[in-house]
Amino acid sequence: MSPNVQGALLMMGSMAAFTINDALIKAAGAEMPLFQMVAMRGFLATVLVFLLARHLGALHLNFPRHDKWLVVIRCLAELSATFFFLTALLHMPLANVTAVLQALPLTVTLGAVLFFREQIGWRRVLAIVLGFAGMLLIVRPGPDGFSIYAIYALIAVASVTARDLITRRMSVHVPSLAVTLATSLTITASAGIATVATGWEPVPVGAGLMVASAAVFVLGGYLFSVMVMRVGEVGFVAPFRYSSLIWALGLGWLIFGEWPDTITMLGATLVVGAGLFTLFRERQTQPAE
């Protein structure tokens, strides 16, 4: 397979894993505190990552100092994304908060232009603007449809954008599993510290099983999200994030009885359409357009 095809498959796998994880955490969140869930899920995921990394010989830190700092910064970006996204997830419909995240391909493309000096033309700039307009329809910054948790979702978008751009700056000498393990350790330790203030509650069997299952899926999501940003072209791979919306719509309807209203669907359509157009332009034009 070509690098672009590999990247597309990894992206779709990552989105499926993360969205299933989100649905499990949202369901378990009705019975358990957020930080307790994250700490439990993180502990299980960290153990699984460690065992896999040790088996594959990917635990070494023999890579440049520059990359080590990038790993640290990436972990902090992931920590921010986890807190703000999960807080929004527990208070917003699954499909709505996932629809906000569909702006990620646009923000990653814009970030690549601003920080990596990649060239795009006016058509893709217009597509990005329309995509952000669609995102505003989803979060609806007005008295009838807006909530503080929409801001949390937007902060999560910014955090994940930073995470993905940082990942692309890492050299090929950095093992993906080492990055995944560092990320999981950071989030688990932070959630564990937070539980000192929030306390622990008895774990219902059903909720406990959902958190354990979420650990497996979040492991796959973490690993694929590292691997995907290191193969293929950003302009080709990034739009495949939109597959998560299909998962979110289906799981939201099946598990929570949720379905987005017309305005939200219109906004999501604009965002998805804008991202697909940037993909089309990437395939049809020269790098400098």
Side-chain angles (χ1 to χ4, degrees):
M1 290 185 291
S2 69
N4 279 346
V5 173
Q6 293 179 40
L9 292 176
L10 286 169
M11 179 66 81
M12 289 188 287
S14 175
M15 293 302 99
F18 275 131
T19 308
I20 295 171
N21 159 77
D22 295 340
L24 290 168
I25 290 297
K26 183 176 177 64
E31 303 179 69
M32 295 175 59
L34 172 61
F35 291 120
Q36 181 178 340
M37 287 193 302
V38 174
M40 291 174 56
R41 182 192 67 176
F43 174 77
L44 294 172
T46 299
V47 170
L48 292 173
V49 174
F50 174 79
L51 293 175
L52 180 59
R54 187 177 67 173
H55 176 70
L56 297 177
L59 289 177
H60 68 84
L61 298 177
N62 299 323
F63 46 85
R65 183 188 182 109
H66 171 72
D67 285 320
K68 292 178 181 178
W69 279 110
L70 289 178
V71 171
V72 171
I73 298 171
R74 186 191 185 280
C75 288
L76 295 177
E78 186 73 71
L79 177 62
S80 171
T82 299
F83 170 74
F84 286 107
F85 174 76
L86 291 182
T87 303
L89 178 67
L90 295 179
H91 295 87
M92 294 174 64
L94 176 61
N96 287 43
V97 70
T98 303
V100 174
L101 291 185
Q102 302 316 298
L104 278 170
L106 303 175
T107 58
V108 170
T109 300
L110 181 60
V113 172
L114 296 176
F115 298 106
F116 299 160
R117 300 183 183 277
E118 294 188 10
Q119 299 295 313
I120 64 172
W122 66 269
R123 294 176 182 85
R124 274 184 277 177
V125 171
L126 179 60
I128 290 173
V129 172
L130 290 175
F132 284 134
M135 188 169 62
L136 289 177
L137 287 179
I138 298 170
V139 301
R140 266 170 276 177
D144 296 328
F146 181 77
S147 75
I148 186 63
Y149 301 109
I151 292 181
Y152 282 25
L154 294 176
I155 295 175
V157 169
S159 299
V160 178
T161 301
R163 180 203 71 186
D164 288 353
L165 293 174
I166 291 166
T167 303
R168 289 195 65 84
R169 303 303 291 176
M170 294 179 186
S171 70
V172 295
H173 304 294
V174 183
S176 296
L177 278 172
V179 179
T180 305
L181 180 59
T183 301
S184 186
L185 280 170
T186 300
I187 293 173
T188 303
S190 300
I193 294 172
T195 60
V196 174
T198 59
W200 284 68
E201 297 183 4
V203 180
V205 175
L209 290 175
M210 285 188 284
V211 171
S213 299
V216 176
F217 284 105
V218 81
L219 166 61
Y222 279 147
L223 182 58
F224 292 154
S225 70
V226 174
M227 296 171 65
V228 74
M229 295 308 295
R230 304 173 75 174
V231 297
E233 304 166 11
V234 173
F236 183 92
V237 172
F240 286 91
R241 286 185 186 274
Y242 296 133
S243 60
S244 65
L245 186 56
I246 298 174
W247 284 95
L249 286 169
L251 292 173
W253 178 68
L254 288 172
I255 299 175
F256 307 107
E258 302 168 346
W259 190 260
D261 60 23
T262 302
I263 295 178
T264 298
M265 290 296 289
L266 175 61
T269 301
L270 275 176
V271 174
V272 171
L276 292 177
F277 179 78
T278 63
L279 169 62
F280 173 78
R281 292 298 300 171
E282 180 71 19
R283 301 287 290 172
Q284 295 293 321
T285 64
Q286 297 297 323
E289 281 194 79

